[in-house]
């Protein structure tokens, strides 16, 4: 259960095989490399087995590392359960190798990256939990994310540029949790058309966004147990029974949503 923190060093290289056969609970490599040496140094991790690997820089560091093609290729020979990539700068145009060597990692966290679109998803990806926090999305990248067929938990939060939800999630039969809170989303037609064949969806968090119009169509989300809209301006609730099909829902938060209850059947259907 050893945790090894090599952050805030000035590593010029890691000798090939230096980590072969080593088992770690966590390895932290933040602001640990000269910017030009990260790619070659990561190749020296071949043979490592680690529960959590953290790679990136610190916010206050001047030596901001951009994502270049093949930057993470050295991780193809590393066995890990969780991978955290944090505080990288811009992603080069045409860079599509982000998931090449981490597509079979169970949990991936992408934090504070200049990532404007989801990279190509490897066939047969085993990712079960994916978090994209403080990235650069303009639209919810549902099409590419729908290629993570084993995905169970998805969190896309605190993206200041994320304002639209035009794409649709489709065929994610294992997906149970979607957290899209603390963005700036404005969209209508919530919430069936955004989730096609996602029959196992139980938790949906759309709190702290801008404006959402509910239609009452939850056909593709009838198994929801938890629905959170707090601090998001809503249109629909209070006027007509938009929650009618959510027979299994046990938690609903519409506080601070400017909802004015005018209909006696506002909460009809919420039998649980």
């Amino acid at each position: 259960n050893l945790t090894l923190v090599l952050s805030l060093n000035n590593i010029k290289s890691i000798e090939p095989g230096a980590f072969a056969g080593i088992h770690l609970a966590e390895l932290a490599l933040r602001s640990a490399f000269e910017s030009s040496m990260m790619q070659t140094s990561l190749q020296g991790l071949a043979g490592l087995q680690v529960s959590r690997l953290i790679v990136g820089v610190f916010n206050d560091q001047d030596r901001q590392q951009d994502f270049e093609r093949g930057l993470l290729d050295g991780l193809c020979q590393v066995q890990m359960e969780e991978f955290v990539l944090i505080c990288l700068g811009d992603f080069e145009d045409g860079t599509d190798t982000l998931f090449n060597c981490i597509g079979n990692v169970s949990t991936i966290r992408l934090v504070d990256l200049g990532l404007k679109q989801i990279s190509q998803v490897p066939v047969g990806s085993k990712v079960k939990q994916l978090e994209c926090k403080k990235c650069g999305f303009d639209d919810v990248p549902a099409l590419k994310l729908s290629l993570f067929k084993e995905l169970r938990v998805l969190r896309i939060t605190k993206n200041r540029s994320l304002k639209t939800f035009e794409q649709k999630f489709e065929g994610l039969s294992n997906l149970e949790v979607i957290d899209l809170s603390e963005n700036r989303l404005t969209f209508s037609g919530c919430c069936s058309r955004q989730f096609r064949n996602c029959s196992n969806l139980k938790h949906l968090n759309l709190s702290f966004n801008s404006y959402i119009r509910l239609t009452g169509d939850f056909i593709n989300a009838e198994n929801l147990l938890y629905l959170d809209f707090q601090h998001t301006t809503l249109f629909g609730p209070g006027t007509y029974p938009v929650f009618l099909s959510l027979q299994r829902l046990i938690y609903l938060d519409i506080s601070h949503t400017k909802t004015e209850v005018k209909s006696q059947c506002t909460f009809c259907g919420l039998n649980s």
Side-chain angles (χ1 to χ4, degrees), residues 209-228:
N209 278 288
S210 295
Y211 177 95
I212 296 175
R213 179 184 292 267
L214 301 181
T215 63
D217 181 3
F218 285 92
I219 292 175
N220 291 325
E222 289 181 329
N223 291 321
L224 277 176
L225 301 176
Y226 176 104
L227 183 57
D228 192 349

Side-chain angles (χ1 to χ4, degrees), residues 17-74:
F19 283 86
I22 293 178
H23 298 249
L24 295 174
E26 180 177 305
L27 174 60
L29 294 166
R30 294 184 66 181
S31 298
F33 308 105
E34 292 184 357
S35 62
S36 60
M37 301 308 298
M38 179 182 286
Q39 182 172 349
T40 54
S41 295
L42 289 179
Q43 292 174 358
L45 299 181
L48 171 67
Q49 296 183 40
V50 60
S51 295
R52 179 189 294 122
L53 176 61
I54 304 173
V55 174
V57 301
F58 286 99
N59 261 331
D60 57 355
Q61 295 300 305
D62 292 329
R63 43 179 174 160
Q64 185 81 340
Q65 169 75 50
D66 290 340
F67 189 94
E68 303 168 351
R69 178 176 291 277
L71 180 67
L72 304 180
D73 283 359

Side-chain angles (χ1 to χ4, degrees), residues 40-216:
T40 54
S41 295
L42 289 179
Q43 292 174 358
L45 299 181
L48 171 67
Q49 296 183 40
V50 60
S51 295
R52 179 189 294 122
L53 176 61
I54 304 173
V55 174
V57 301
F58 286 99
N59 261 331
D60 57 355
Q61 295 300 305
D62 292 329
R63 43 179 174 160
Q64 185 81 340
Q65 169 75 50
D66 290 340
F67 189 94
E68 303 168 351
R69 178 176 291 277
L71 180 67
L72 304 180
D73 283 359
L75 302 184
C76 283
Q77 304 301 319
V78 176
Q79 294 183 39
M80 51 187 158
E81 297 174 16
E82 179 179 349
F83 177 65
V84 183
L85 186 63
I86 186 166
C87 290
L88 292 195
D90 295 331
F91 278 60
E92 288 185 350
D93 291 339
T95 297
D96 213 16
T97 62
L98 174 59
F99 295 110
N100 280 13
C101 289
I102 59 173
N104 288 325
V105 178
S106 180
T107 300
I108 297 176
R109 298 184 62 229
L110 307 175
V111 183
D112 204 357
L113 304 182
L115 182 66
K116 296 182 179 179
Q117 60 184 5
I118 291 293
S119 299
Q120 183 175 343
V121 179
V123 176
S125 168
K126 301 300 182 183
V127 177
K128 292 180 173 61
Q129 297 189 49
L130 177 61
E131 177 181 1
C132 303
K133 180 179 180 180
K134 294 184 179 180
C135 293
F137 304 133
D138 296 320
D139 187 17
V140 178
L143 288 175
K144 282 284 188 70
L145 291 172
S146 294
L147 298 175
F148 287 104
K149 296 303 181 184
E150 298 294 320
L151 200 62
R152 296 181 182 177
V153 178
L154 173 63
R155 303 186 190 280
I156 303 177
T157 61
K158 297 187 177 182
N159 293 268
R160 292 186 176 184
S161 60
L162 185 55
K163 299 179 180 180
T164 60
F165 195 166
E166 297 294 333
Q167 301 178 31
K168 301 172 180 62
F169 290 99
E170 186 161 3
L172 293 176
S173 59
N174 294 307
L175 188 63
E176 297 183 9
V177 177
I178 291 186
D179 184 352
L180 296 173
S181 62
E182 297 185 75
N183 299 302
R184 296 184 177 180
L185 288 172
T186 295
F187 66 99
S188 60
C190 181
C191 288
S192 188
R193 73 178 187 88
Q194 285 83 15
F195 307 103
R196 294 180 176 176
N197 300 318
C198 301
S199 57
N200 209 32
L201 186 62
K202 294 181 174 66
H203 295 250
L204 178 58
N205 188 348
L206 289 164
S207 63
F208 293 91
N209 278 288
S210 295
Y211 177 95
I212 296 175
R213 179 184 292 267
L214 301 181
T215 63

